[in-house]
Amino acid sequence: MEPILWMVIPCYNEEEVLPVTAPLFLAELRDLAQKGKISPDSRVLFVNDGSRDGTWDVIRGLAAADEHYLGVAQSRNRGHQNAVLAGLMEALENGADITISIDCDGQDDVTAMEAMVDAWRDGCEIVYGVRSKRDTDTFFKRVTAEGFYKLLRGMGAEVVFNHADYRLVSARALRAFADFHEVNLFLRGMFPLVGFKSTCVSYERRERLAGKSHYPLGKMLALAFDGITSLSVRPIRLITGFGGVVALLSFVGVIYALVASALGRTVAGWTSMTCIICFVSGIQLVSLGVIGEYIGKIYLETKARPRYILSERTYGDPGERR
Ligand code: UDP
Ligand code: MG
């Protein structure tokens, strides 16, 4: 029997782009169903992430117009990662055999879904959509985005190069993923930890069809830092290593100072003293900040607040669930 596919699409202030891209998702769903690759009972699920514009009205309109469109609304804006998680869990609870998460702005090529479903048929539980080229991105965006992956990898976070959140996940992998209870979500780094057979499918990333990006450089750096500290303790190890090097240098400095003193060559070294104090205190503050970041995460994890709260659905029981 053909698998039931649920496309999971997070939307935040996307009233401009949604009417353009929603038919593209539905057309792809119909195409795949016609080719016999997925069940005609497959669905396109929009997750409204507390949008401030008319996104929810657009979603409701779509759901009223075609039964393949469904919508759930988060009780407030919780961020892209939480919106995707909410959608994936909703799909799992509703009996989806496979899910594909994709952004709603039309940047990710929907036609890559066919290759993803084929890979699933070949036994892969997770299929990562990977951007083959970034010609349409500006040079700056390309360099910073690729630097982002290199930084993540260098810091010990296992991520698939040039993969964002366009991926197919089977129900089996999702059930395993549901046991990852962390509140600091970085999905693209967490799914590789789930394991199972997986592969990549490449596609060309296009420009946004309308609206504007929610991820300028500052937010991307924050995401990278968040990802690294959620997935790896390498920064703390680096601090330890660096501390070791500085301690060693200090030891040499102490010997030098003692020898200089014994030889009676103790001239007032204001400049060197100031430099050392500035350097060491700077390093200490940065190190404290990094350690503080981990403590902050522990704080959030121990509170174990819900990662998403749904307030509305366009179908079935509209009640709250999480
Ligand atoms: N998004 C969301 N919640 C947010 C921010 C973004 O659900 O708080 C959604 C957004 O609607 C889009 C996806 O996440 O579908 C990716 O956002 P965007 O296209 O702005 O990021 P970019 O592609 O520029 O990295
Ligand atoms: Mg985008």
Side-chain angles (χ1 to χ4, degrees), residues 103 105 107 205 208 213:
D103 290 351
D105 55 14
Q107 284 191 279
R205 182 145 161 107
R208 231 174 194 283
S213 169

Side-chain angles (χ1 to χ4, degrees), residues 68-228:
H68 291 94
Y69 290 126
L70 300 176
V72 291
Q74 294 231 71
S75 62
R76 54 159 290 163
N77 178 250
R78 283 198 163 72
H80 176 207
Q81 300 288 293
N82 300 64
V84 173
L85 176 75
L88 291 177
M89 291 303 133
E90 183 73 11
L92 186 63
E93 282 171 27
N94 283 282
D97 298 309
I98 47 179
T99 59
I100 295 181
S101 51
I102 181 168
D103 290 351
C104 76
D105 55 14
Q107 284 191 279
D108 300 324
D109 182 8
V110 290
T111 57
M113 288 190 189
E114 183 168 348
M116 289 183 169
V117 174
D118 288 342
W120 174 79
R121 283 184 177 278
D122 289 340
C124 291
E125 304 282 344
I126 303 177
V127 187
Y128 301 98
V130 172
R131 297 162 197 179
S132 58
K133 52 179 183 181
R134 285 178 171 266
D135 289 356
T136 56
D137 281 346
T138 60
F139 176 74
F140 181 71
K141 172 91 186 175
R142 211 162 52 221
V143 169
T144 51
E146 290 185 356
F148 170 90
Y149 292 98
K150 293 202 176 115
L151 179 70
L152 281 170
R153 284 230 187 134
M155 285 291 163
E158 192 187 328
V159 287
V160 178
F161 192 67
N162 265 344
H163 161 71
D165 279 301
Y166 185 17
R167 81 177 81 75
L168 178 147
V169 184
S170 71
R172 183 170 169 224
L174 267 185
R175 276 194 294 274
F177 182 75
D179 285 332
F180 285 59
H181 296 294
E182 59 226 69
V183 294
N184 295 290
L185 293 177
F186 190 66
L187 299 176
R188 66 184 84 167
M190 289 163 71
F191 275 104
L193 300 175
V194 176
F196 295 120
K197 191 175 167 200
S198 60
T199 186
C200 296
V201 161
S202 62
Y203 67 95
E204 278 174 37
R205 182 145 161 107
R206 286 190 295 256
E207 269 174 85
R208 231 174 194 283
L209 292 180
K212 55 176 189 290
S213 169
H214 302 100
Y215 282 99
L217 180 65
K219 255 193 161 179
M220 235 170 66
L221 278 178
L223 187 69
F225 193 56
D226 212 32
I228 292 164

